[in-house]
Amino acid sequence: QVQLRESGGGSVQAGGSLRLSCEASGNTYSGYCMAWFRQAPEKEREGVAGISLGGGSPIYADSVKGRFTISLDNAKNTVYLQMNSLKPEDTAMYYCALRSSYFCRPSVSVRDYTYWGQGTQVTVSS
């Protein structure tokens, strides 16, 4: 059983930055992939960035490439999302997700993930 706890959301002006954190607790030591998703009102949940404990290049949605950076602290079982140059269209509820698998590869597909956090709100004003 894995539990995810997001933090770091908030309100920021366009062009500003936020850093989201997601700490995983429970049995995660066998290997896992983690990812960030977001969902704006009346829109589908979309993948933002994904990363694997096993390494490899993280992946990003085209809409955030060059602005967002995902990273993983293995010792803390925590994934981060550094968000720079934020735009109003980045406003959404951001969700952390985890897939427990030793050989998983980074992905931003909702169907790949088993565990989900409660979400943290990010609001970017003009």
Side-chain angles (χ1 to χ4, degrees):
Q1 185 176 349
V2 176
Q3 294 181 346
L4 304 177
R5 182 180 63 190
E6 299 108 330
S7 62
S11 181
V12 65
Q13 292 185 331
S17 299
L18 286 173
R19 189 190 191 197
L20 306 183
S21 300
C22 175
E23 182 179 5
S25 60
N27 188 10
T28 63
Y29 50 82
S30 61
Y32 54 86
C33 289
M34 298 183 73
W36 289 96
F37 297 81
R38 66 186 183 186
Q39 187 168 19
E42 301 181 346
K43 293 185 178 181
E44 298 291 328
R45 185 169 298 188
E46 63 174 341
V48 176
I51 193 168
S52 173
L53 179 63
S57 299
I59 60 172
Y60 299 91
D62 289 340
S63 60
V64 307
K65 287 181 179 177
R67 299 188 298 120
F68 291 10
T69 302
I70 189 171
S71 61
L72 183 64
D73 187 328
N74 297 342
K76 297 181 179 180
N77 289 335
T78 300
V79 66
Y80 304 93
L81 185 67
Q82 178 66 47
M83 305 185 294
N84 298 325
S85 301
L86 283 163
K87 305 175 181 179
E89 51 262 44
D90 295 319
T91 296
M93 184 72 72
Y94 282 71
Y95 297 92
C96 175
L98 182 147
R99 176 189 180 189
S100 182
S101 176
Y102 189 80
F103 294 109
C104 62
R105 308 307 301 169
S107 78
V108 289
S109 174
V110 171
R111 296 184 180 273
D112 286 343
Y113 294 89
T114 303
Y115 302 98
W116 294 84
Q118 295 299 116
T120 184
Q121 179 67 38
V122 172
T123 301
V124 184
S125 60
S126 301

